[in-house]
Amino acid sequence: MSNVVRLQKEPFDITQEIERLERLSSKDGAVGIFTGKVREDGDIQALVLEHYPVMAQNVLNDLCAKAQSRFGLSGCTVIHRYGVLPVGERIVFVGTASSHRAQALEAVSFLIDCLKTSAPFWKKIIHKNGHQNWIQQERGDVDKHAYWSHTATHKA
Amino acid sequence: MPRTDQASRIDVMFFAKLREKAGASEMHFTIPQNGILLDELPQHLTSQEPALKDVFDGTDRIYVAINHELIKHNQRVNNGDIVAYFPPMTGG
């Protein structure tokens, strides 16, 4: 199983995930990763991540398959957490394995840019004073996703 | 012969801000026997559940999925379908 998609409440172990990708193929020379975490920003106490489980799993499976074929990856991993995540907690892991670094790193950007606006997750901020508000989708994130729809790729 | 007096039923799911406005994450509705167009569904749902007016009256963009797939064009909703409404996604 070269691609792994997991939606989970629990934290993930980055070392374990990198090692899985490193073991995929002896012909690979590169593993690329991205992790996203809840950042300190004003009076944020935590984020609440809500998701649509079946659709999120399907969308992320499809994205991984697209990344694998488009960038010639040996495989990739996307782990997305849900539930209440306090400041400092990891939210998402994206990892890719490829023969060369250009494809591995480009595929990481592709996966995170595309999942932000196409995987059904929603973030709500819990402020220290108890107030809560939903985060709005950002125009910049939509543009980054659109960029991959009309950009050629340095396929291996 | 299929029964003609049997109403069709669908499940409707709401997520995030729309779930809060709807006051529920999932509801069950009856639709006409021969289905209903997606564009006509909000009005149909609101006629059965007036509290949903707030969900569909907002100016924010609403996404819709049928049977867990994002739908971009008008199409028919049929008996047994699962329809989901949700705001623009903010994952990652």
Side-chain angles (χ1 to χ4, degrees):
Chain A
M1 193 171 56
S2 55
N3 294 338
V4 169
V5 171
R6 293 206 311 270
L7 317 176
Q8 61 187 49
K9 272 189 177 171
E10 307 76 31
F12 45 81
D13 180 337
I14 289 181
T15 307
Q16 205 174 307
E17 300 306 331
I18 292 173
E19 284 172 357
R20 186 195 82 84
L21 291 162
E22 285 177 337
R23 282 195 302 269
L24 280 180
S25 169
S26 59
K27 291 184 177 166
D28 280 347
V31 166
I33 68 156
F34 168 85
T35 63
K37 65 188 187 75
V38 183
R39 69 170 177 270
E40 179 104 52
D41 187 6
D43 70 339
I44 288 184
Q45 180 167 310
L47 289 181
V48 181
L49 268 290
E50 179 168 332
H51 74 308
Y52 177 176
V54 180
M55 187 178 158
Q57 185 78 42
N58 292 345
V59 166
L60 293 175
N61 286 345
D62 282 355
L63 269 182
C64 280
K66 278 184 189 151
Q68 191 171 23
S69 125
R70 179 168 176 166
F71 300 95
L73 305 177
S74 304
C76 55
T77 300
V78 174
I79 303 170
H80 207 306
R81 294 177 68 194
Y82 59 88
V84 178
L85 302 177
V87 167
E89 282 289 307
R90 292 187 184 121
I91 305 169
V92 64
F93 175 92
V94 173
T96 62
S98 177
S99 51
H100 297 288
R101 73 178 183 283
Q103 292 76 32
L105 292 173
E106 206 171 12
V108 167
S109 292
F110 168 85
L111 284 165
I112 189 65
D113 287 349
C114 294
L115 82 79
K116 278 182 90 76
T117 55
S118 67
F121 284 85
W122 302 273
K123 293 193 190 102
K124 183 193 241 186
I125 298 173
I126 302 178
H127 298 272
K128 284 175 183 159
N129 64 8
H131 287 157
Q132 304 184 358
N133 65 278
W134 291 99
I135 290 180
Q136 302 285 314
Q137 191 178 71
E138 289 181 23
R139 180 73 223 176
D141 288 337
V142 176
D143 291 344
K144 285 190 187 96
H145 185 173
Y147 163 85
W148 293 105
S149 307
H150 31 74
T151 301
T153 297
H154 312 109
K155 189 165 176 177
Chain B
M1 281 282 286
R3 288 177 59 180
T4 53
D5 58 339
Q6 195 178 359
S8 295
R9 291 178 61 81
I10 58 167
D11 289 341
V12 180
M13 302 166 82
F14 302 94
F15 290 95
K17 195 176 188 174
L18 300 187
R19 172 183 53 73
E20 290 179 343
K21 285 184 175 182
S25 55
E26 192 168 350
M27 295 181 184
H28 310 287
F29 291 91
T30 55
I31 57 169
Q33 183 76 28
N34 60 344
I36 185 168
L37 285 174
L38 197 54
D39 283 355
E40 295 166 3
L41 193 57
Q43 194 179 357
H44 180 78
L45 301 182
T46 306
S47 71
Q48 289 183 47
E49 187 61 62
L52 293 181
K53 195 170 184 304
D54 197 29
V55 170
F56 298 111
D57 269 3
T59 53
D60 294 341
R61 186 169 176 193
I62 295 178
Y63 286 77
V64 60
I66 297 179
N67 301 326
H68 319 303
E69 276 194 33
L70 194 66
I71 303 297
K72 293 184 176 166
H73 303 287
N74 197 17
Q75 69 176 67
R76 191 158 286 277
V77 177
N78 296 304
N79 185 35
D81 280 348
I82 300 168
V83 179
Y85 290 103
F86 45 86
M89 292 153 276
T90 55

